[in-house]
Amino acid sequence: MINKIFLTLSFLSVSAIAFAQAKKPTLMVIPTEAWCYENDFSYEVNNQGRKTRITDYEKAFQESSDLLNATTKIGELMADRGFPLKDMLSSIRDIDRMEAENEMTQSSQGSMIAETPLERLMTRAKADIMVELGWKVNSIGPKKSITYTLRGIDAYTNKQVAAAQGTGSPSLSAEIPLLLQEAVVANMDNFLLQLQAHFDDLVTNGREVSIICRIFDNGSGLNFEKEYNGDELTDIIDNWMYDNTVNHRYSLTDAGESKLSFEQVRIPLYRENGRAMDTRSFATVLRRFLSSTPYNIPVKVITKGLGRVELILGEK
């Protein structure tokens, strides 16, 4: 019996060490859109005649000490468990500086692609997973409790990969970060295990992205049915995808003369030199392949988001 207990404890210790040493996803803690709307940290814009509500994350962090303290506390709990974090407020300020510099160099006739603050944040911060935090305070006489929601969102696919929610025990404490910590801590390890399981899947099976290929309408006669040494361009690109995706996992969902759509494309998490692989760097390898002999096709690469890239063939 003692030997069995010893073996069990040894196994758990080894498992804990392995979990601690595993490659961890990079996280960023952000408030939910619902929390921002409820606390008046949003504004409306006219998007081609339709009003759209946009979250104002910068205003939220500047004016709500509860938000700053709450996200900091959740970040501390995650950091204590070895998960690397990116600071949202610092990322927002970096984005503001970059956009200010771009505006100074932009021509008077230049145009910008419309992006929401969250899309800009996800594209430029490049965290693996966004951890959305929302909460509300419940008052029961002199005591207070917090009902919270945590959602882990894959930054490349916008799919939910982890979740936790609950209500903490009533407390006389009035400090939201402390109430939040008391409410969250019981489910934090399970939540992080869900995040780790998703990240382990990415390491094994690759990150899921979308690659769209199009043709410039410039009268060159190029299309995806053009043949090179007896193979149509569609098949050439399809074979390249087969050779370069993780475990050959991808789907060619649309194939025509002027457009190819590759969905659920599993790209390696890291390049051969150990640096992180993102959608654009993966698409750039395809661009170089198509630009080389015998194809010699100029290709323009356009990033449409963290997990989506378009390659337009025929010009740059």
Side-chain angles (χ1 to χ4, degrees), residues 24-94:
K24 300 291 196 298
T26 302
L27 310 177
M28 178 178 285
V29 183
I30 66 175
T32 63
E33 287 188 347
W35 185 91
C36 290
Y37 296 163
E38 290 169 1
N39 290 274
D40 199 28
F41 295 121
S42 62
Y43 56 92
E44 286 189 345
V45 297
N46 191 322
N47 184 9
Q48 298 179 344
R50 189 182 72 172
K51 289 185 177 180
T52 303
R53 185 176 291 274
I54 303 295
T55 49
D56 193 338
Y57 294 113
E58 187 166 16
K59 179 183 177 183
F61 274 101
Q62 289 174 341
E63 298 184 7
S64 174
S65 59
D66 284 342
L67 173 62
L68 182 59
N69 292 334
T71 54
T72 298
K73 178 56 65 177
I74 296 297
E76 287 177 0
L77 293 173
M78 294 177 175
D80 287 344
R81 289 155 175 80
F83 283 79
L85 294 165
K86 288 193 173 183
D87 182 70
M88 184 177 189
L89 185 55
S90 298
S91 296
I92 290 172
R93 288 170 176 167
D94 287 342

Side-chain angles (χ1 to χ4, degrees), residues 31-313:
T32 63
E33 287 188 347
W35 185 91
C36 290
Y37 296 163
E38 290 169 1
N39 290 274
D40 199 28
F41 295 121
S42 62
Y43 56 92
E44 286 189 345
V45 297
N46 191 322
N47 184 9
Q48 298 179 344
R50 189 182 72 172
K51 289 185 177 180
T52 303
R53 185 176 291 274
I54 303 295
T55 49
D56 193 338
Y57 294 113
E58 187 166 16
K59 179 183 177 183
F61 274 101
Q62 289 174 341
E63 298 184 7
S64 174
S65 59
D66 284 342
L67 173 62
L68 182 59
N69 292 334
T71 54
T72 298
K73 178 56 65 177
I74 296 297
E76 287 177 0
L77 293 173
M78 294 177 175
D80 287 344
R81 289 155 175 80
F83 283 79
L85 294 165
K86 288 193 173 183
D87 182 70
M88 184 177 189
L89 185 55
S90 298
S91 296
I92 290 172
R93 288 170 176 167
D94 287 342
I95 291 169
D96 288 343
R97 280 195 293 269
M98 290 188 333
E99 289 184 344
E101 292 172 0
N102 290 340
E103 287 177 3
M104 293 177 64
T105 59
Q106 191 178 28
S107 67
S108 59
Q109 297 182 354
S111 60
M112 296 181 66
I113 297 174
E115 286 183 304
T116 68
L118 182 56
E119 287 171 338
R120 286 198 299 272
L121 186 66
M122 293 174 75
T123 300
R124 292 163 177 79
K126 293 188 177 180
D128 296 303
I129 297 172
M130 297 291 185
V131 177
E132 291 187 342
L133 168 64
W135 75 89
K136 67 175 182 178
V137 179
N138 311 304
S139 296
I140 309 170
K143 294 185 177 181
K144 293 182 178 180
S145 66
I146 275 191
T147 298
Y148 75 93
T149 300
L150 280 176
R151 295 174 67 231
I153 307 297
D154 186 300
Y156 281 71
T157 63
N158 291 323
K159 293 179 180 179
Q160 178 177 303
V161 298
Q165 58 184 356
T167 300
S169 301
S171 171
L172 292 173
S173 172
E175 296 182 5
I176 286 178
L178 182 57
L179 290 172
L180 192 60
Q181 179 179 354
E182 293 171 350
V184 169
V185 70
N187 292 323
M188 177 58 71
D189 288 333
N190 182 56
F191 178 73
L192 293 179
L193 281 170
Q194 293 177 57
L195 296 183
Q196 186 65 50
H198 172 69
F199 191 71
D200 290 344
D201 175 71
L202 297 185
V203 173
T204 303
N205 298 308
R207 192 188 298 283
E208 183 179 325
V209 303
S210 298
I211 305 290
I212 311 299
C213 298
R214 299 180 185 271
I215 302 289
F216 271 115
D217 185 14
N218 58 6
S220 66
L222 178 67
N223 61 57
F224 290 114
E225 294 181 353
K226 183 175 180 179
E227 293 188 3
Y228 294 84
N229 297 325
D231 293 322
E232 288 188 355
L233 186 54
T234 293
D235 297 325
I236 291 168
I237 297 175
D238 190 38
N239 290 335
W240 186 93
M241 284 287 182
Y242 180 87
D243 291 336
N244 289 273
T245 48
V246 178
N247 299 326
H248 316 299
R249 294 180 62 178
Y250 69 97
S251 297
L252 178 56
T253 58
D254 185 14
E257 289 187 13
S258 58
K259 180 182 177 182
L260 302 177
S261 295
F262 294 93
E263 305 292 338
Q264 298 175 314
V265 179
R266 292 285 193 148
I267 68 173
L269 214 58
Y270 302 102
R271 309 180 209 181
E272 291 181 357
N273 61 8
R275 293 181 61 185
M277 171 81 81
D278 59 18
T279 317
R280 183 178 178 83
S281 56
F282 179 79
T284 297
V285 181
L286 176 55
R287 176 189 66 77
R288 290 171 180 162
F289 170 76
L290 294 172
S291 300
S292 62
T293 306
Y295 316 112
N296 300 316
I297 302 171
V299 181
K300 185 176 185 66
V301 178
I302 301 176
T303 302
K304 293 289 187 176
L306 200 56
R308 179 185 172 95
V309 163
E310 290 193 4
L311 290 85
I312 308 181
L313 284 62

